Every structure is written in C-alpha cells, then in structure tokens.
Coordinates of all heavy atoms in Angstrom, one line a residue:
M1 N 122.4 127.5 93.9 CA 121.8 128.8 94.2 C 120.5 128.9 93.5 O 120.4 128.5 92.3 CB 122.8 129.9 93.8 CG 122.3 131.3 94.0 SD 123.5 132.5 93.6 CE 122.8 133.9 94.3
T2 N 119.5 129.4 94.2 CA 118.2 129.5 93.6 C 118.0 131.0 93.2 O 118.3 131.9 94.0 CB 117.1 129.1 94.6 OG1 117.3 127.8 94.9 CG2 115.7 129.3 94.0
Y3 N 117.5 131.2 92.0 CA 117.2 132.5 91.5 C 115.7 132.8 91.5 O 114.9 131.9 91.3 CB 117.7 132.7 90.0 CG 119.2 132.6 89.9 CD1 119.8 131.4 89.5 CD2 120.0 133.7 90.1 CE1 121.1 131.3 89.3 CE2 121.3 133.6 89.9 CZ 121.9 132.4 89.5 OH 123.3 132.4 89.4
T4 N 115.3 134.0 91.9 CA 113.9 134.3 91.9 C 113.6 134.8 90.5 O 114.5 135.1 89.6 CB 113.6 135.5 92.8 OG1 114.3 136.7 92.4 CG2 114.1 135.2 94.3
V5 N 112.3 134.9 90.2 CA 111.9 135.4 88.9 C 112.4 136.9 88.7 O 112.9 137.2 87.6 CB 110.3 135.4 88.8 CG1 109.9 136.2 87.6 CG2 109.8 134.0 88.8
S6 N 112.4 137.7 89.7 CA 113.0 139.0 89.6 C 114.5 139.0 89.3 O 115.0 139.8 88.5 CB 112.8 139.8 90.9 OG 111.4 140.0 91.1
D7 N 115.2 138.0 89.9 CA 116.6 137.9 89.6 C 116.8 137.6 88.1 O 117.7 138.2 87.4 CB 117.3 136.7 90.4 CG 117.3 137.0 91.9 OD1 117.3 138.2 92.2 OD2 117.4 136.0 92.6
I8 N 116.0 136.6 87.6 CA 116.1 136.2 86.2 C 115.7 137.4 85.2 O 116.4 137.6 84.2 CB 115.3 135.0 85.9 CG1 115.9 133.8 86.7 CG2 115.2 134.6 84.4 CD1 115.0 132.6 86.8
A9 N 114.7 138.1 85.6 CA 114.3 139.3 84.8 C 115.4 140.3 84.8 O 115.6 140.9 83.7 CB 113.0 139.9 85.4
E10 N 116.1 140.5 85.9 CA 117.2 141.5 85.9 C 118.3 141.0 85.0 O 119.0 141.8 84.3 CB 117.7 141.7 87.3 CG 118.5 142.9 87.5 CD 117.9 144.2 87.0 OE1 116.7 144.4 87.2 OE2 118.6 145.0 86.3
L11 N 118.6 139.7 84.9 CA 119.6 139.2 84.0 C 119.2 139.5 82.6 O 120.0 139.9 81.8 CB 119.7 137.7 84.2 CG 120.5 137.2 85.5 CD1 120.4 135.7 85.6 CD2 121.9 137.6 85.4
F12 N 117.9 139.3 82.3 CA 117.4 139.6 80.9 C 117.7 141.1 80.6 O 118.1 141.5 79.5 CB 116.0 139.3 80.7 CG 115.7 137.8 80.7 CD1 114.4 137.3 81.2 CD2 116.5 136.9 80.2 CE1 114.1 136.0 81.3 CE2 116.3 135.5 80.2 CZ 115.1 135.1 80.7
R13 N 117.3 141.9 81.6 CA 117.4 143.4 81.4 C 118.9 143.7 81.1 O 119.2 144.5 80.2 CB 116.9 144.1 82.6 CG 117.0 145.7 82.4 CD 116.7 146.4 83.7 NE 115.7 145.8 84.6 CZ 114.4 145.9 84.4 NH1 113.9 146.6 83.4 NH2 113.6 145.3 85.2
H14 N 119.8 143.2 81.9 CA 121.2 143.5 81.8 C 121.8 143.0 80.5 O 122.5 143.7 79.8 CB 121.9 143.0 83.0 CG 123.4 143.3 83.0 ND1 123.9 144.6 83.3 CD2 124.5 142.6 82.7 CE1 125.2 144.6 83.2 NE2 125.6 143.4 82.8
H15 N 121.5 141.7 80.2 CA 122.2 141.1 79.1 C 121.4 141.2 77.7 O 122.0 141.1 76.7 CB 122.4 139.6 79.3 CG 123.4 139.3 80.5 ND1 124.7 139.5 80.3 CD2 123.2 139.0 81.7 CE1 125.3 139.3 81.5 NE2 124.4 138.9 82.4
L16 N 120.1 141.4 77.8 CA 119.3 141.4 76.6 C 118.8 142.8 76.2 O 118.6 143.1 75.0 CB 118.1 140.5 76.7 CG 118.1 139.2 76.0 CD1 116.8 138.4 76.3 CD2 118.3 139.4 74.5
V17 N 118.6 143.7 77.1 CA 118.0 144.9 76.8 C 119.0 146.1 76.9 O 119.1 146.9 76.0 CB 116.8 145.2 77.8 CG1 116.2 146.6 77.6 CG2 115.8 144.1 77.7
L18 N 119.8 146.2 77.9 CA 120.6 147.3 78.1 C 121.9 147.3 77.3 O 122.5 148.3 77.1 CB 121.0 147.5 79.6 CG 119.8 147.7 80.6 CD1 120.3 147.8 82.0 CD2 119.0 148.9 80.2
S19 N 122.3 146.1 76.8 CA 123.6 146.0 76.1 C 123.5 146.1 74.6 O 124.5 146.1 73.9 CB 124.2 144.7 76.5 OG 123.4 143.6 76.1
I20 N 122.2 146.3 74.1 CA 122.1 146.4 72.6 C 121.1 147.4 72.3 O 120.4 148.0 73.2 CB 121.6 145.0 72.0 CG1 120.4 144.5 72.8 CG2 122.8 144.0 72.1 CD1 119.9 143.1 72.2
D21 N 120.9 147.7 71.0 CA 119.9 148.7 70.6 C 118.5 148.3 70.8 O 118.2 147.1 70.9 CB 120.2 149.1 69.1 CG 119.9 147.9 68.2 OD1 120.8 147.1 68.0 OD2 118.7 147.8 67.7
D22 N 117.6 149.2 70.9 CA 116.2 148.9 71.2 C 115.5 148.0 70.3 O 114.8 147.0 70.7 CB 115.4 150.2 71.3 CG 115.7 151.1 72.5 OD1 116.5 150.6 73.3 OD2 115.2 152.2 72.5
E23 N 115.7 148.1 69.0 CA 115.1 147.3 68.0 C 115.5 145.8 68.1 O 114.7 144.9 68.1 CB 115.4 147.8 66.6 CG 114.6 147.1 65.5 CD 114.9 147.7 64.1 OE1 115.1 148.9 64.0 OE2 114.8 147.0 63.1
T24 N 116.8 145.6 68.3 CA 117.3 144.3 68.5 C 116.9 143.7 69.8 O 116.5 142.5 69.8 CB 118.9 144.3 68.4 OG1 119.3 144.9 67.2 CG2 119.4 142.9 68.5
A25 N 116.9 144.5 70.8 CA 116.4 144.0 72.1 C 114.9 143.6 72.0 O 114.6 142.5 72.6 CB 116.5 145.1 73.2
D26 N 114.1 144.4 71.4 CA 112.7 144.0 71.2 C 112.5 142.7 70.5 O 111.7 141.8 70.8 CB 111.9 145.1 70.5 CG 111.7 146.3 71.4 OD1 112.0 146.2 72.6 OD2 111.3 147.4 70.9
A27 N 113.3 142.5 69.4 CA 113.2 141.2 68.7 C 113.6 140.1 69.5 O 113.0 139.0 69.5 CB 114.1 141.3 67.4
L28 N 114.7 140.2 70.3 CA 115.1 139.1 71.2 C 114.1 138.9 72.3 O 113.9 137.7 72.7 CB 116.5 139.5 71.8 CG 117.6 139.4 70.7 CD1 118.9 139.9 71.4 CD2 117.8 138.0 70.2
L29 N 113.5 139.9 72.8 CA 112.5 139.7 73.9 C 111.3 139.0 73.3 O 110.7 138.2 74.0 CB 112.1 141.1 74.5 CG 113.1 141.7 75.4 CD1 112.8 143.1 75.8 CD2 113.3 140.9 76.6
R30 N 110.9 139.3 72.1 CA 109.8 138.6 71.4 C 110.1 137.1 71.3 O 109.3 136.2 71.6 CB 109.4 139.2 70.1 CG 108.5 140.4 70.1 CD 108.0 140.8 68.7 NE 109.0 141.4 67.9 CZ 109.3 142.7 68.0 NH1 108.6 143.5 68.8 NH2 110.2 143.2 67.3
Q31 N 111.3 136.8 70.9 CA 111.7 135.4 70.8 C 111.7 134.7 72.2 O 111.3 133.6 72.3 CB 113.1 135.3 70.2 CG 113.6 133.9 70.0 CD 115.1 133.9 69.5 OE1 115.6 134.9 69.1 NE2 115.7 132.7 69.5
L32 N 112.2 135.4 73.2 CA 112.3 134.9 74.5 C 110.9 134.6 75.1 O 110.7 133.5 75.6 CB 113.1 135.9 75.4 CG 113.2 135.4 76.9 CD1 114.0 134.2 77.0 CD2 113.8 136.6 77.7
V33 N 110.0 135.5 74.9 CA 108.6 135.4 75.4 C 108.0 134.2 74.7 O 107.3 133.3 75.4 CB 107.8 136.6 75.2 CG1 106.3 136.4 75.4 CG2 108.3 137.7 76.1
S34 N 108.2 134.0 73.4 CA 107.7 132.9 72.7 C 108.2 131.6 73.2 O 107.5 130.6 73.5 CB 108.0 133.0 71.2 OG 107.6 131.8 70.5
E35 N 109.5 131.5 73.5 CA 110.1 130.3 74.0 C 109.6 130.0 75.4 O 109.4 128.8 75.8 CB 111.6 130.4 73.9 CG 112.1 130.3 72.5 CD 113.6 130.3 72.3 OE1 114.3 129.8 73.3 OE2 114.1 130.7 71.3
I36 N 109.5 131.0 76.2 CA 109.0 130.8 77.6 C 107.5 130.3 77.6 O 107.2 129.4 78.3 CB 109.1 132.1 78.4 CG1 110.6 132.3 78.7 CG2 108.4 132.0 79.8 CD1 110.9 133.7 79.4
A37 N 106.7 130.9 76.7 CA 105.3 130.5 76.6 C 105.2 129.0 76.2 O 104.3 128.3 76.7 CB 104.6 131.4 75.6
G38 N 106.2 128.5 75.4 CA 106.2 127.1 75.0 C 106.5 126.2 76.2 O 106.2 125.0 76.1
M39 N 107.0 126.7 77.3 CA 107.2 125.9 78.4 C 106.0 125.6 79.3 O 106.0 124.7 80.1 CB 108.3 126.5 79.3 CG 109.6 126.7 78.7 SD 110.7 127.6 79.8 CE 112.0 128.1 78.7
A40 N 105.0 126.4 79.1 CA 103.8 126.3 80.0 C 103.0 125.1 79.7 O 103.0 124.6 78.5 CB 102.9 127.5 79.8
T41 N 102.4 124.5 80.7 CA 101.7 123.2 80.5 C 100.2 123.5 80.2 O 99.5 122.7 79.7 CB 101.7 122.4 81.8 OG1 101.2 123.1 82.9 CG2 103.1 121.9 82.0
T42 N 99.8 124.8 80.4 CA 98.4 125.2 80.1 C 98.6 126.6 79.4 O 99.6 127.3 79.6 CB 97.5 125.4 81.3 OG1 98.1 126.3 82.2 CG2 97.3 124.0 82.0
P43 N 97.6 127.0 78.6 CA 97.7 128.3 77.9 C 97.8 129.4 78.9 O 97.2 129.4 80.0 CB 96.3 128.4 77.2 CG 95.8 127.0 77.1 CD 96.3 126.2 78.3
L44 N 98.7 130.3 78.6 CA 99.0 131.5 79.5 C 98.0 132.6 79.2 O 97.8 133.5 80.1 CB 100.4 132.0 79.3 CG 101.5 131.0 79.6 CD1 102.9 131.6 79.2 CD2 101.5 130.6 81.0
W45 N 97.3 132.6 78.1 CA 96.4 133.6 77.8 C 95.0 133.0 77.5 O 94.9 131.9 77.1 CB 96.9 134.4 76.5 CG 98.3 134.7 76.6 CD1 99.3 134.1 75.9 CD2 98.9 135.7 77.4 NE1 100.5 134.7 76.2 CE2 100.3 135.7 77.1 CE3 98.4 136.7 78.2 CZ2 101.2 136.5 77.7 CZ3 99.3 137.5 78.8 CH2 100.7 137.5 78.6
R46 N 94.0 133.8 77.7 CA 92.7 133.4 77.3 C 92.0 134.6 76.6 O 92.3 135.7 76.8 CB 91.9 133.0 78.5 CG 91.5 134.1 79.4 CD 90.4 133.8 80.4 NE 90.1 134.9 81.2 CZ 89.2 135.8 80.9 NH1 88.5 135.7 79.7 NH2 88.9 136.9 81.6
R47 N 91.0 134.2 75.7 CA 90.3 135.3 75.1 C 89.4 136.0 76.1 O 88.8 135.3 76.9 CB 89.4 134.6 74.0 CG 88.5 135.6 73.2 CD 87.6 134.9 72.3 NE 88.5 134.1 71.4 CZ 88.1 134.0 70.1 NH1 87.0 134.4 69.6 NH2 88.9 133.3 69.3
A48 N 89.4 137.3 76.0 CA 88.6 138.1 76.9 C 87.1 137.9 76.5 O 86.8 138.0 75.3 CB 89.0 139.5 76.9
E49 N 86.3 137.6 77.5 CA 84.8 137.5 77.2 C 84.1 138.4 78.2 O 84.4 138.4 79.4 CB 84.4 136.0 77.4 CG 85.0 135.1 76.3 CD 84.6 133.7 76.5 OE1 84.0 133.3 77.5 OE2 84.8 132.9 75.5
W50 N 83.1 139.1 77.7 CA 82.4 140.0 78.5 C 80.9 139.8 78.3 O 80.4 139.4 77.2 CB 82.7 141.5 78.0 CG 84.1 141.8 78.2 CD1 85.1 141.5 77.2 CD2 84.8 142.3 79.3 NE1 86.3 141.9 77.7 CE2 86.2 142.4 78.9 CE3 84.4 142.8 80.5 CZ2 87.1 142.9 79.8 CZ3 85.3 143.3 81.4 CH2 86.7 143.4 81.0
V51 N 80.1 140.1 79.3 CA 78.7 140.2 79.2 C 78.3 141.6 79.7 O 79.0 142.3 80.4 CB 77.9 139.1 80.0 CG1 78.2 137.7 79.5 CG2 78.3 139.2 81.5
F52 N 77.1 142.0 79.3 CA 76.6 143.3 79.7 C 75.4 143.2 80.6 O 74.5 142.3 80.3 CB 76.2 144.2 78.4 CG 77.4 144.5 77.6 CD1 77.8 143.7 76.6 CD2 78.1 145.7 77.9 CE1 79.0 144.0 75.8 CE2 79.3 146.0 77.1 CZ 79.7 145.1 76.1
C53 N 75.4 143.9 81.7 CA 74.3 143.9 82.6 C 73.1 144.4 81.8 O 73.1 145.5 81.2 CB 74.6 144.8 83.8 SG 73.2 144.9 84.9
D54 N 72.0 143.6 81.9 CA 70.8 144.0 81.2 C 70.0 145.1 81.9 O 69.0 145.6 81.4 CB 69.9 142.8 80.9 CG 70.5 141.9 79.9 OD1 70.8 142.3 78.8 OD2 70.8 140.7 80.2
R55 N 70.4 145.5 83.1 CA 69.8 146.6 83.8 C 70.5 147.9 83.5 O 69.8 148.9 83.2 CB 69.7 146.3 85.2 CG 69.0 147.3 86.0 CD 68.7 146.9 87.5 NE 68.2 148.0 88.2 CZ 67.0 148.5 88.2 NH1 66.1 147.9 87.4 NH2 66.7 149.5 88.9
C56 N 71.8 147.9 83.7 CA 72.5 149.2 83.7 C 73.5 149.3 82.5 O 74.1 150.4 82.2 CB 73.3 149.5 85.0 SG 74.7 148.4 85.3
G57 N 73.8 148.2 81.8 CA 74.7 148.2 80.7 C 76.1 148.0 81.0 O 77.0 148.0 80.1
T58 N 76.5 147.9 82.3 CA 77.9 147.8 82.6 C 78.5 146.5 82.0 O 77.8 145.5 82.1 CB 78.1 147.8 84.2 OG1 77.6 149.0 84.7 CG2 79.5 147.5 84.6
S59 N 79.7 146.5 81.5 CA 80.3 145.3 81.0 C 81.1 144.6 82.1 O 81.7 145.3 82.9 CB 81.3 145.7 79.8 OG 82.3 146.5 80.3
I60 N 81.0 143.3 82.1 CA 81.5 142.5 83.2 C 82.3 141.4 82.5 O 81.9 140.6 81.7 CB 80.4 141.8 84.0 CG1 79.4 142.8 84.5 CG2 81.0 141.0 85.2 CD1 79.9 143.7 85.6
D61 N 83.6 141.2 83.0 CA 84.4 140.0 82.6 C 83.7 138.8 83.1 O 83.2 138.7 84.2 CB 85.8 140.2 83.3 CG 86.8 139.1 82.7 OD1 86.4 138.0 82.4 OD2 88.0 139.5 82.7
T62 N 83.7 137.7 82.2 CA 82.9 136.5 82.6 C 83.6 135.7 83.6 O 83.0 134.8 84.3 CB 82.7 135.6 81.3 OG1 83.9 135.3 80.7 CG2 81.8 136.3 80.3
I63 N 84.9 135.9 83.9 CA 85.6 135.1 84.9 C 85.0 135.1 86.3 O 84.9 134.0 86.9 CB 87.1 135.5 84.9 CG1 87.9 135.0 83.7 CG2 87.8 134.9 86.2 CD1 88.0 133.5 83.6
P64 N 84.7 136.3 86.8 CA 84.1 136.2 88.2 C 82.7 135.8 88.3 O 82.2 135.7 89.4 CB 84.3 137.7 88.7 CG 84.3 138.5 87.4 CD 84.9 137.6 86.3
I65 N 82.0 135.5 87.2 CA 80.6 135.2 87.2 C 80.5 133.7 87.7 O 81.2 132.8 87.2 CB 79.9 135.3 85.8 CG1 80.0 136.8 85.4 CG2 78.5 134.8 85.8 CD1 79.5 137.1 84.0
H66 N 79.6 133.5 88.6 CA 79.5 132.1 89.2 C 79.1 131.2 88.1 O 78.2 131.4 87.3 CB 78.4 132.2 90.3 CG 78.5 131.0 91.2 ND1 78.0 129.8 90.8 CD2 79.0 130.8 92.4 CE1 78.2 128.9 91.8 NE2 78.8 129.5 92.8
P67 N 79.8 130.0 88.1 CA 79.5 129.0 87.0 C 78.1 128.4 87.0 O 77.7 127.9 85.9 CB 80.6 127.9 87.2 CG 81.0 128.1 88.6 CD 80.8 129.6 89.0
D68 N 77.4 128.5 88.1 CA 76.0 128.0 88.0 C 75.0 128.9 87.4 O 73.8 128.6 87.4 CB 75.6 127.5 89.4 CG 75.3 128.7 90.3 OD1 75.4 129.9 89.9 OD2 74.8 128.5 91.5
G69 N 75.5 130.0 86.9 CA 74.6 131.0 86.2 C 74.0 132.0 87.2 O 73.0 132.6 86.8
H70 N 74.5 132.0 88.4 CA 74.0 133.0 89.4 C 73.9 134.4 88.7 O 74.9 134.8 88.1 CB 74.9 133.0 90.6 CG 74.3 133.6 91.8 ND1 73.2 133.3 92.4 CD2 74.8 134.7 92.5 CE1 72.9 134.0 93.4 NE2 73.9 134.9 93.6
H71 N 72.9 135.1 89.0 CA 72.7 136.5 88.4 C 72.1 136.4 87.0 O 72.1 137.5 86.4 CB 73.9 137.4 88.6 CG 74.3 137.7 90.0 ND1 75.4 138.3 90.3 CD2 73.6 137.4 91.1 CE1 75.5 138.4 91.7 NE2 74.4 137.8 92.2
H72 N 71.7 135.3 86.5 CA 71.0 135.2 85.3 C 69.6 134.9 85.6 O 69.2 134.0 86.4 CB 71.5 134.0 84.4 CG 72.8 134.4 83.7 ND1 72.9 135.0 82.5 CD2 74.1 134.2 84.1 CE1 74.1 135.2 82.1 NE2 74.9 134.7 83.1
W73 N 68.7 135.7 85.1 CA 67.2 135.5 85.3 C 66.8 134.3 84.4 O 67.5 133.9 83.5 CB 66.4 136.7 84.9 CG 66.7 137.9 85.8 CD1 67.5 139.0 85.6 CD2 66.1 138.1 87.1 NE1 67.4 139.8 86.6 CE2 66.6 139.3 87.6 CE3 65.2 137.4 87.9 CZ2 66.2 139.9 88.8 CZ3 64.8 137.9 89.1 CH2 65.3 139.1 89.6
D74 N 65.7 133.8 84.7 CA 65.2 132.7 83.9 C 65.0 133.0 82.4 O 65.1 132.1 81.6 CB 63.8 132.2 84.5 CG 63.9 131.5 85.8 OD1 65.1 131.1 86.1 OD2 62.9 131.4 86.5
D75 N 64.8 134.3 82.1 CA 64.6 134.7 80.7 C 65.9 134.9 80.0 O 66.0 135.3 78.9 CB 63.7 135.9 80.6 CG 64.3 137.1 81.3 OD1 65.5 137.1 81.7 OD2 63.6 138.2 81.3
G76 N 67.1 134.7 80.8 CA 68.4 134.8 80.1 C 69.1 136.1 80.4 O 70.2 136.3 80.1
D77 N 68.3 137.1 80.9 CA 69.0 138.4 81.2 C 70.0 138.2 82.3 O 69.9 137.4 83.2 CB 67.9 139.4 81.7 CG 67.2 140.0 80.6 OD1 67.4 139.7 79.4 OD2 66.3 140.9 80.8
F78 N 71.1 139.0 82.2 CA 72.1 139.0 83.2 C 72.1 140.3 84.0 O 72.0 141.4 83.4 CB 73.5 138.8 82.6 CG 74.6 139.0 83.5 CD1 75.0 138.0 84.4 CD2 75.3 140.2 83.6 CE1 76.0 138.2 85.3 CE2 76.4 140.4 84.5 CZ 76.7 139.4 85.4
H79 N 72.2 140.3 85.3 CA 72.3 141.5 86.1 C 73.5 141.4 87.0 O 73.7 140.3 87.7 CB 71.1 141.7 87.0 CG 69.8 142.0 86.3 ND1 68.7 142.3 86.9 CD2 69.6 142.2 85.0 CE1 67.7 142.6 86.0 NE2 68.3 142.6 84.8
R80 N 74.4 142.4 86.9 CA 75.6 142.4 87.8 C 75.1 142.4 89.3 O 74.0 142.7 89.5 CB 76.6 143.5 87.4 CG 76.1 144.9 87.8 CD 77.0 145.9 87.2 NE 76.6 147.2 87.6 CZ 77.1 147.9 88.6 NH1 78.1 147.4 89.4 NH2 76.6 149.1 88.9
V81 N 76.1 142.2 90.2 CA 75.7 142.0 91.6 C 75.0 143.2 92.2 O 74.0 143.1 92.9 CB 76.9 141.6 92.4 CG1 77.9 142.7 92.5 CG2 76.5 141.1 93.8
D82 N 75.4 144.4 91.8 CA 74.8 145.6 92.4 C 73.4 145.8 91.8 O 72.6 146.6 92.4 CB 75.7 146.9 92.1 CG 77.0 146.8 92.9 OD1 77.0 146.1 93.9 OD2 77.9 147.5 92.5
C83 N 73.1 145.2 90.7 CA 71.8 145.4 90.1 C 70.9 144.2 90.4 O 69.7 144.2 90.1 CB 71.9 145.6 88.6 SG 72.7 147.1 88.2
W84 N 71.4 143.1 90.9 CA 70.7 141.9 91.1 C 69.6 142.2 92.2 O 69.9 142.7 93.2 CB 71.6 140.8 91.6 CG 70.8 139.5 91.8 CD1 70.5 138.9 93.0 CD2 70.4 138.6 90.8 NE1 69.8 137.7 92.8 CE2 69.7 137.5 91.4 CE3 70.4 138.6 89.4 CZ2 69.2 136.5 90.7 CZ3 69.8 137.6 88.7 CH2 69.2 136.5 89.4
G85 N 68.4 141.8 91.9 CA 67.3 141.9 92.9 C 66.6 143.3 92.8 O 65.6 143.4 93.4
K86 N 67.2 144.2 92.1 CA 66.5 145.5 92.0 C 65.4 145.4 90.9 O 65.7 145.0 89.8 CB 67.5 146.6 91.6 CG 68.5 147.0 92.7 CD 69.4 148.1 92.2 CE 70.4 148.4 93.2 NZ 71.4 149.4 92.7
L87 N 64.3 145.7 91.3 CA 63.2 145.7 90.3 C 62.7 147.1 89.9 O 62.8 148.0 90.7 CB 62.0 144.9 90.9 CG 62.3 143.4 91.3 CD1 61.1 142.8 91.9 CD2 62.7 142.6 90.0
G88 N 62.3 147.2 88.7 CA 61.7 148.4 88.2 C 62.7 149.4 87.9 O 63.4 150.1 87.9
Ligands
LIG101 ZN1 73.6 146.7 86.2

C-alpha cells in the first residue's frame, strides 16, 4: 500500500500531536523535522537574498532574476521588470 504525504502527515498528527501535551508534541515534531531534513540529498532551505530596485526601491527576491544579469544596467544598477526601460 502506498501512502501519500498527506496520509503520513495525518499519522503524525494522530500519533504525535493529538495524543500528548503540546510541549511534548512540539519537541517531538522538532526532532522529526530534523530527522526528515537529514534525508534530503540537497539543502531544503536557502538564505533569503534580496536586491532593491534602484528606481523605485522595491525589494525583489533574487531567485526570479535572470542569471545573465538581465535588468542590470552597465553601471550596476538594478531595475525590476516594471521599471526596466523607464527613463527619467
Ligand atoms: Zn522599480
């Protein structure tokens, strides 16, 4: 029988969360998350990195920025897509 992630999460909820007090459940969930994270072949988390649009000041997560530096002017300024190409 194959279990879905939701099935497994429900097992955790039933056996780890609902059957014991909140403090103990939280401690066990922390341990469980740590052990599950150890199973991953690549890091599950990354440091958040942001740049600020040099035109309007909006902060932008660096993940969606094109790796070739698209939207960076030659002088190094960055403009988000809605501000790209607007002069003055
Ligand atoms: Zn902008």
Side-chain angles (χ1 to χ4, degrees):
M1 179 176 192
T2 301
Y3 294 98
T4 66
V5 169
S6 295
D7 294 336
I8 295 168
E10 194 55 39
L11 287 171
F12 291 148
R13 181 188 327 278
H14 181 75
H15 294 287
L16 253 179
V17 176
L18 299 178
S19 62
I20 52 180
D21 65 275
D22 289 352
E23 187 175 331
T24 304
D26 287 350
L28 290 173
L29 287 170
R30 276 191 285 277
Q31 179 185 352
L32 178 65
V33 168
S34 174
E35 292 186 22
I36 289 172
M39 297 177 196
T41 58
T42 57
L44 298 176
W45 313 104
R46 69 167 184 86
R47 179 185 298 216
E49 294 179 346
W50 301 86
V51 294
F52 293 90
C53 176
D54 288 303
R55 180 169 172 80
C56 71
T58 299
S59 61
I60 308 288
D61 189 328
T62 56
I63 287 290
I65 296 174
H66 197 284
D68 73 357
H70 194 58
H71 294 172
H72 283 272
W73 292 102
D74 289 342
D75 63 4
D77 280 2
F78 171 80
H79 289 183
R80 69 186 184 98
V81 69
D82 290 342
C83 294
W84 183 255
K86 292 181 181 174
L87 299 175

